[in-house]
């Protein structure tokens, strides 16, 4: 489920099981924003997932070949989040399709690509977004992630 705690990991909402606590679209959590210019007019849209952000940008491009857009984690989001994704099927061999960790800071503008903890850069349209625990993890991303237990306040 989408989380808002410090260093949370965003998981795409499951579409096969609607939540009883989420009866209306207006009550869904939309941590991402897409802003741009289409037909000389400013546009903005909320998105629940990076895939929805891409859909909005592609729809604007269908309307106007000269459209321009960026996406970002909303600046009022309470904490950084980590997305999990891997190269889409067919881009590289299956053995190399490891799941990367993409840290995002609130308000940091993204121009179509994201950089994983390990330094791998993938374009938004080339990423298959995953839920936590799916896919073979990128060992470098795991090694570079801050998953150590917090020991502040414990006696030494």
């Amino acid at each position: 489920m989408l989380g808002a705690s410090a260093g949370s990991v965003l998981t795409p909402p499951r579409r096969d099981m609607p939540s009883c606590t989420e009866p209306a679209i207006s009550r869904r959590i939309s941590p991402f924003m897409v802003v741009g210019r289409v037909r000389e007019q400013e546009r903005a849209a909320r998105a629940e997932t990076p895939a929805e952000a891409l859909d909005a940008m592609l729809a604007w491009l269908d309307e106007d070949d000269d459209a321009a857009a960026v996406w970002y984690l909303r600046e009022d989001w309470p904490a950084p989040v980590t997305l999990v994704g891997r190269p889409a099927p067919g881009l590289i061999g299956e053995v190399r399709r490891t799941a990367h960790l993409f840290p995002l800071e609130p308000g940091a503008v993204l121009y179509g690509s994201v950089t994983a903890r390990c330094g791998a850069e993938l374009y938004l349209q080339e990423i298959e977004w995953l839920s936590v625990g799916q896919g073979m993890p990128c060992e470098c991303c795991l090694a570079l992630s801050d998953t150590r237990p917090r020991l502040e306040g414990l006696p030494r």
Side-chain angles (χ1 to χ4, degrees), residues 97-147:
R97 290 185 63 222
T98 57
H100 294 281
L101 301 176
F102 298 94
L104 299 180
E105 292 291 327
V109 176
L110 302 162
Y111 296 98
S113 68
V114 288
T115 303
R117 287 202 192 279
C118 69
E121 180 181 12
L122 295 175
Y123 289 97
L124 189 56
Q125 67 270 24
E126 297 175 346
I127 299 174
E128 175 186 11
W129 297 105
L130 304 172
S131 296
V132 175
Q134 286 184 312
M136 175 61 76
C138 167
E139 292 177 1
C140 290
C141 282
L142 287 178
L144 295 169
S145 66
D146 188 14
T147 57

Side-chain angles (χ1 to χ4, degrees), residues 1 17-18 21 42 45 52 58 61 63 66 92 96 98 102 115-116 119-120 127 129 136 138 142 149 155:
M1 186 100 175
M17 297 180 61
T21 61
E42 301 293 325
E52 278 187 22
L58 291 175
L61 194 56
E63 282 183 54
D66 295 323
I92 60 174
R96 294 183 48 220
T98 57
F102 298 94
T115 303
I127 299 174
W129 297 105
M136 175 61 76
C138 167
L142 287 178

